[in-house]
Amino acid sequence: MVERDDYAAIRDRIIGLSHTHGLRCDWAETTKRQRFLLLWDAEGRVAARAIVPLFPGETPHLVDSLERGLAHLFGDDWLEDP
């Protein structure tokens, strides 16, 4: 299980699942508290956009939103599965 309040664990889970699904990650700092993520497919199309909080323990609602927002690519509860 990924620690939902650990940015590095969430980031690593996203990167691992992206590689498994043939997606490329692009990260951009949008504020000092969050990063914007683009996931690109093999044809160079954006498969998903998401906001990833740098301090997820302070904003669990953003983690929930992130999990729901990437479910169409990684499956339901992708953040919970090891």
Side-chain angles (χ1 to χ4, degrees):
M1 178 180 199
V2 173
E3 293 295 325
R4 296 176 69 86
D5 60 352
D6 181 1
Y7 168 76
I10 294 170
R11 178 202 61 215
D12 292 349
R13 180 79 172 137
I14 291 169
I15 291 169
L17 286 169
S18 295
H19 290 162
T20 299
H21 288 84
L23 301 170
R24 181 175 54 92
C25 299
D26 278 339
W27 299 87
E29 184 176 341
T30 52
T31 71
K32 292 181 181 183
R33 305 198 66 74
Q34 61 190 22
R35 291 225 171 140
F36 183 68
L37 168 68
L38 287 174
L39 294 173
W40 300 86
D41 67 13
E43 286 82 37
R45 296 177 299 219
V46 174
R49 296 175 174 89
I51 298 294
V52 182
L54 291 173
F55 304 99
E58 297 175 8
T59 54
H61 64 284
L62 289 180
V63 177
D64 292 341
S65 177
L66 173 65
E67 187 172 28
R68 285 188 309 273
L70 297 180
H72 72 285
L73 293 175
F74 302 145
D76 292 334
D77 301 322
W78 62 268
L79 196 51
E80 303 301 323
D81 296 335

